[in-house]
C-alpha cells in the first residue's frame, strides 16, 4: 500500500496543522519540532499539495482533514475591511463639511455612514458562526 509521509506540527498556531508533505519522506526538509505521519495516499485530499501552506489542513486520528474555521476571526476581518472603506468615504465628506461646501445629499450620506461605522464598531463578533453571519 502506497503511503504519503506528512510532517505535522504546531507551526500555524494550532496543534496538528500540516506543515509539509511529500510521497518521499527523505525529501522533507527540516522536520525539526514536527511529527511525521504516514497516510494512505488515497486518503490525502486532492488539493492538499497545493494548499498545505495555507494552514487549512490538520492531521487527526490518522487522517488529513480540513481545519475548523473560526467564524469570529473571519467576521472581525470583514468588519475591519468595511471600517476602512467607510472611514475613507467619511473623511472625504467630513473635509467637504469642514470646507463649507457639502451638499444636502452628502451631509445625509455622512450621517448615515457614521451611524453604520458606529454600529460596526459595537458589534460583538465573538459569537459569530456559520449559521449566524453578522456582516452582510
Amino acid at each position: 500500500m502506497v503511503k504519503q509521509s506528512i510532517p505535522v506540527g504546531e507551526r500555524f498556531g494550532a496543534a496538528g496543522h500540516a506543515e509539509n508533505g511529500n510521497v518521499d519522506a527523505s525529501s522533507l526538509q527540516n522536520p525539526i519540532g514536527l511529527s511525521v505521519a504516514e497516510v494512505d495516499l488515497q486518503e490525502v485530499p486532492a488539493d492538499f499539495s497545493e494548499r498545505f501552506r495555507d494552514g487549512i489542513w490538520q492531521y487527526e486520528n490518522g487522517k488529513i482533514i480540513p481545519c475548523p474555521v473560526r467564524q469570529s476571526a473571519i467576521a472581525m476581518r470583514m468588519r475591519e475591511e468595511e471600517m476602512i472603506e467607510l472611514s475613507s468615504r467619511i473623511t472625504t465628506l467630513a473635509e467637504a463639511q469642514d470646507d463649507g461646501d457639502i451638499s444636502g445629499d452628502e451631509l445625509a450620506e455622512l450621517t448615515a455612514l457614521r451611524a453604520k461605522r458606529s454600529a460596526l464598531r459595537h458589534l460583538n463578533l465573538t459569537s459569530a458562526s456559520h449559521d449566524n453571519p453578522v456582516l452582510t
Side-chain angles (χ1 to χ4, degrees), residues 12-84:
F12 287 105
H17 287 207
E19 170 69 19
N20 202 342
N22 198 307
V23 293
D24 178 7
S26 67
S27 71
L28 300 174
Q29 299 176 349
N30 257 349
I32 297 169
L34 302 175
S35 300
V36 175
E38 289 189 22
V39 178
D40 185 348
L41 193 55
Q42 282 84 10
E43 299 290 325
V44 177
D47 59 345
F48 174 78
S49 62
E50 297 99 41
R51 304 206 53 210
F52 67 81
R53 283 183 174 51
D54 295 343
I56 63 166
W57 303 110
Q58 67 185 27
Y59 178 77
E60 185 174 296
N61 298 325
K63 295 185 182 226
I64 298 171
I65 59 172
C67 294
V69 176
R70 286 190 49 224
Q71 296 299 326
S72 61
I74 293 170
M76 286 180 207
R77 180 182 45 79
M78 290 172 62
R79 174 176 59 186
E80 183 61 30
E81 290 171 1
E82 181 73 11
M83 294 280 285
I84 289 168

